């Protein structure tokens, strides 16, 4: 693992760590195929940004309407998505991500939106090392971890480290796989029922096929499957509480279409039955 700043080897893999290698291979390939998770958001203005990053008003509820002057840590948040949206809302943003392409997209998108050059800091590092790194903007009013905690086998030290980067009254938003859904696939079903496989064990390694939308197969480029680790619901919540934070809200379906009227096997129907991602909101007292 890298311990400080950009200390990865020339091929982007720090040491021989399997977790870092898996993440590197996956995100480098997704960038090459311009998959949606590596595609910067097109944001017309602050209202569009707010709609993307705060569709149900929770961020405004916990942090207030005005992000001007606040510092945000985006943990594993590269790609030119949340960074640009939060920048358009007035925040200064520090992004930590292991993928150089994702961080380059943050810079490109930031510049394309004519945001202040000095208000974006990016650091290429493994999030498992974040406790030992002094970050630009620390302590943060908001630590936002988009979907990524499931790429590390043990979420507890990462959650503890991220909590320690928060200012008093700072807000933590942790997105994670719904542990009851991780590993399921829309195409794996019996009639209109979806099959659930694997065991409900914390740290389980899960390597499932991607749903269709993740990348365009017609390009003929080989994209390695995501290697993920199950974090049970109790682990996620208890790790947040034990990191000294007060859990203030839980969302059990984020960023997904949910339409039970669609045909079984479609992404919208699958999500209506098995919402794949949840989010935990917590505040540092
Ligand atoms: C699903 S993306 C999340 C960010 C993106 N903006 C989004 O909302 O979809 C997951 C990100 O986590 C990063 N990542 C995966 N494992 C990591 C690790 N161990 N340390 C740092 N970043 C990691 C990837 O490079 C990728 O950019």
């Amino acid at each position: 693992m890298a311990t400080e700043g950009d200390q990865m080897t020339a091929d982007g893999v720090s040491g021989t760590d399997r977790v870092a290698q898996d993440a590197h291979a996956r995100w480098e390939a997704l960038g090459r195929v311009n998959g949606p998770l590596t595609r910067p958001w097109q944001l017309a203005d602050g209202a569009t940004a707010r709609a993307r990053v705060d569709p149900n008003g929770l961020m405004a509820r916990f942090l207030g309407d005005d992000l001007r002057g606040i510092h945000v840590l985006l943990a594993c948040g590269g790609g030119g998505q949340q960074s640009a949206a939060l920048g358009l809302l007035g925040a200064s943003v520090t992004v930590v991500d292991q993928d150089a392409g994702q961080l380059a997209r943050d810079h490109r998108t930031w510049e394309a939106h004519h945001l202040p050059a000095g208000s974006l800091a990016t650091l290429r590092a493994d999030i498992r090392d974040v406790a030992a790194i002094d970050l630009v903007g620390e302590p943060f009013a908001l630590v936002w971890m988009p979907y990524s905690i499931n790429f590390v086998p043990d979420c507890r030290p990462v959650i503890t480290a991220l909590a320690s980067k928060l200012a008093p009254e700072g807000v933590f938003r942790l997105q994670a796989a719904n542990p009851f859904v991780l590993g399921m696939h829309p195409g794996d079903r019996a009639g209109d029922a979806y099959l659930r496989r694997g065991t409900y064990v914390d740290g389980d390694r899960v390597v499932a096929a991607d749903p269709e939308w993740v990348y365009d197969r017609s390009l003929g480029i080989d994209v390695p499957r995501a290697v993920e680790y199950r974090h049970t619901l109790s682990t996620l919540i208890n790790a947040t509480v034990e990191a000294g934070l007060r859990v203030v809200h839980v969302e059990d379906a984020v960023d997904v279409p949910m339409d039970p009227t669609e045909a079984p096997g479609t992404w919208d129907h699958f999500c209506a039955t098995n919402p794949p991602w949840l989010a935990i909101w917590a505040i540092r007292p």
Side-chain angles (χ1 to χ4, degrees), residues 27 37 76-78 81-82 97-99 102 125-127 147 151:
W27 290 94
L37 297 173
C76 303
Q81 297 146 343
Q82 295 87 2
D97 199 290
Q98 57 82 41
D99 186 78
Q102 290 283 75
D126 192 311
I127 204 63
Y147 184 75
F151 302 128

Side-chain angles (χ1 to χ4, degrees), residues 76-277:
C76 303
Q81 297 146 343
Q82 295 87 2
S83 58
L86 292 164
L88 276 169
L89 293 173
S92 297
V93 180
T94 297
V95 188
V96 177
D97 199 290
Q98 57 82 41
D99 186 78
Q102 290 283 75
L103 296 177
R105 287 184 271 281
D106 286 307
H107 280 287
R108 278 206 300 277
T109 314
W110 194 267
E111 284 159 24
H113 286 95
H114 308 291
L115 291 166
S119 300
L120 173 67
T122 59
L123 180 71
R124 187 170 175 222
D126 192 311
I127 204 63
R128 293 170 296 164
D129 296 324
V130 77
I133 304 174
D134 286 332
L135 297 169
V136 175
E138 180 173 346
F140 297 97
L142 172 65
V143 172
W144 182 291
M145 193 172 202
Y147 184 75
S148 49
I149 193 72
N150 295 90
F151 302 128
V152 302
D154 185 358
C155 67
R156 283 163 283 223
V158 175
I159 291 173
T160 303
L162 294 177
S164 76
K165 305 284 181 192
L166 278 170
E169 303 301 319
V171 176
F172 182 47
R173 183 205 186 258
L174 172 69
Q175 187 170 347
N178 178 336
F180 302 103
V181 175
L182 183 67
M184 295 176 69
H185 190 276
D188 190 14
R189 61 185 199 279
D192 64 356
Y194 294 94
L195 299 176
R196 185 169 157 229
R197 303 177 192 274
T199 51
Y200 192 73
V201 171
D202 201 77
D204 259 359
R205 189 171 185 271
V206 179
V207 186
D210 283 309
E212 277 309 305
W213 61 267
V214 174
Y215 66 98
D216 179 0
R217 273 57 166 188
S218 71
L219 297 169
I221 295 175
D222 184 36
V223 175
R225 289 182 178 185
V227 178
E228 299 177 87
Y229 300 88
R230 195 181 315 279
H231 305 311
T232 64
L233 196 54
S234 59
T235 296
L236 289 166
I237 291 176
N238 292 337
T240 305
V241 171
E242 284 158 20
L245 305 185
R246 184 164 53 89
V247 174
V248 289
H249 196 86
V250 177
E251 294 175 89
D252 50 14
V254 290
D255 291 346
V256 284
M258 299 174 77
D259 188 349
T261 67
E262 288 289 335
T266 60
W267 180 241
D268 295 38
H269 184 274
F270 175 78
C271 291
T273 319
N274 314 284
W277 304 306

